Amino acid sequence: MKSPVIKVFPDLEAVSHHAASIFINLSAKSIAEHGRFAAAIPGGSTPKKLFELLALEECKNKIDWSRVHFFWTDERCVPVEANESNFKLAFDLLLSKIPLPAENIHRIKGELPPEDGAQDYEKALENFFGKSGLPVFDLIILGLGKDGHTASLFPGSDALQETKRVAVAIQPVRKNFSNGLNLGKMGNPGIPRITLTLPVLNNASQVIFLVSGSSKADMIKKILGTAAGGKHYPAGLVKPVHGNLLWLMDKKAGDRITT
Ligand code: 6PG
C-alpha cells in the first residue's frame, strides 16, 4: 500500500485543471496499455469544474472517447432527470458535449428500487470487468463530505463492512446522537443511494480525491494530518491495495495540514 500523494493548489480552478491533465494522460496510458479507460466519477459540486474542463475543445480533443467508459462511484435513487441525479450532473456538464458512444455510459439505474438498482449495477460491472476478481478501475474520482463520507459510504454505515459485494444500496441514515456519533447528513436524508463498496475503491489503479473549501479542512486534518490516518472515517479507509492515491485540494481545504 503506497502512501497518499497530497497536492495543494491555490483554488478549485487549479485543482480542476490538474485533475483534467491527469485524466487526459491516464486515459492515453490506459488505452495504450489495455485498449480502454474505465473511470468512475462522483456527484457533488467539487467535480463540476473538472467535468466542464474535459468538455472544452482544449481537453476533449486530446482524449479518445471511443475507448473511455464512464461508471459512477454512487448515485441517488432518483429518476435520471432529477436534479439530485449524479448521472444528470455529468450528462449536462460533460457527457452531452463529447463524442462518447452511448454504450460506454454505465450509469447506476437510480430509477429502480434501490436493491434492484444495486444488483443491476453489479451485473453491469461483471459484464464489463469479468467474473474473476474485483473490478479494476483505471481511475476512480472521489469527493469528501464534511463528515468524512465518500461516494455514498457514510460514517457508521454497515456498507463499510462489506467485503464481498461490489455495489450496495444505502438507506437514508438520519442523524443519530444517541452514541455521540453523528452519522452525517446524506444530502437529502430522504433519498436512498447506491454506492461502490470499499473493496472496489481500494482495487483501483488510481484514486483521486478532489476536495475544496474551508468546510473540509477539519476532516482533511483528521484523515491526512494525524497518525490515526482517519481510519474512523470512510474516506480515510480508501487506501488502494496496489494502486496510487492522490489527494488534490485547494488551499482552504488543506489549511490545517500545511500550516
Ligand atoms: C455524491 C458524492 C458525494 C460527494 C461528497 C462531496 O453523490 O454527492 O458522491 O460523496 O463527493 O458529498 O460533495 P461536494 O463535492 O459537493 O463537497
Side-chain angles (χ1 to χ4, degrees):
M1 215 170 294
K2 301 167 191 164
S3 300
V5 173
I6 302 167
K7 293 189 177 183
V8 182
F9 293 85
D11 52 32
L12 179 56
E13 178 90 14
V15 168
S16 306
H17 276 275
H18 189 72
S21 67
I22 293 174
F23 189 100
I24 291 167
N25 295 333
L26 201 50
S27 64
K29 178 172 178 289
S30 303
I31 290 166
E33 285 176 357
H34 51 265
R36 65 188 191 185
F37 178 61
I41 55 178
S45 56
T46 308
K48 287 180 179 175
K49 186 64 189 169
L50 169 61
F51 295 162
E52 290 167 349
L53 287 174
L54 290 175
L56 295 179
E57 294 296 325
E58 67 199 66
C59 285
K60 74 177 177 181
N61 296 337
K62 295 175 183 169
I63 298 168
D64 177 0
W65 295 107
S66 69
R67 303 296 189 99
V68 175
H69 290 263
F70 277 115
F71 292 79
W72 275 260
T73 59
D74 61 321
E75 184 56 281
R76 292 83 181 277
C77 295
V78 294
V80 285
E81 64 273 8
N83 287 331
E84 295 88 349
S85 164
N86 290 347
F87 168 79
K88 181 181 188 303
L89 176 75
F91 184 83
D92 290 348
L93 296 180
L94 175 57
L95 305 184
S96 57
K97 302 173 191 297
I98 55 176
L100 186 82
E103 61 271 21
N104 290 21
I105 295 174
H106 310 271
R107 69 178 183 87
I108 302 172
K109 293 177 183 164
E111 67 274 21
L112 296 177
E115 181 54 30
D116 294 354
Q119 291 181 29
D120 176 83
Y121 196 45
E122 288 187 298
K123 190 69 190 149
L125 289 162
E126 181 182 279
N127 290 342
F128 186 84
F129 289 105
K131 289 178 183 283
S132 61
L134 290 165
V136 183
F137 280 98
D138 297 302
L139 173 63
I140 295 182
I141 297 174
L142 292 169
L144 174 70
K146 284 184 283 191
D147 60 358
H149 82 260
T150 193
S152 285
L153 296 168
F154 289 81
S157 168
D158 292 343
L160 295 169
Q161 316 308 324
E162 181 58 53
T163 57
K164 299 276 186 297
R165 293 190 65 183
V166 296
V168 293
I170 301 285
Q171 290 308 326
V173 171
R174 304 211 177 279
K175 285 189 181 296
N176 169 4
F177 294 101
S178 59
N179 57 2
L181 181 66
N182 173 357
L183 293 179
K185 196 166 74 65
M186 288 184 69
N188 170 349
I191 299 183
R193 293 165 174 233
I194 294 164
T195 186
L196 290 177
T197 57
L198 278 171
V200 177
L201 302 185
N202 285 331
N203 204 46
S205 300
Q206 175 71 59
V207 174
I208 298 179
F209 276 94
L210 299 181
V211 190
S212 167
S214 52
S215 70
K216 310 290 176 73
D218 279 342
M219 189 47 69
I220 285 283
K221 175 141 179 82
K222 287 172 183 169
I223 293 175
L224 297 174
T226 61
K231 61 180 181 293
H232 302 296
Y233 304 97
L237 297 174
V238 177
K239 298 178 187 293
V241 179
H242 305 295
N244 301 309
L245 176 57
L246 174 61
W247 285 80
L248 302 182
M249 64 192 76
D250 64 11
K251 203 163 46 183
K252 287 179 180 170
D255 182 47
R256 305 281 159 78
I257 58 171
T258 49
T259 48

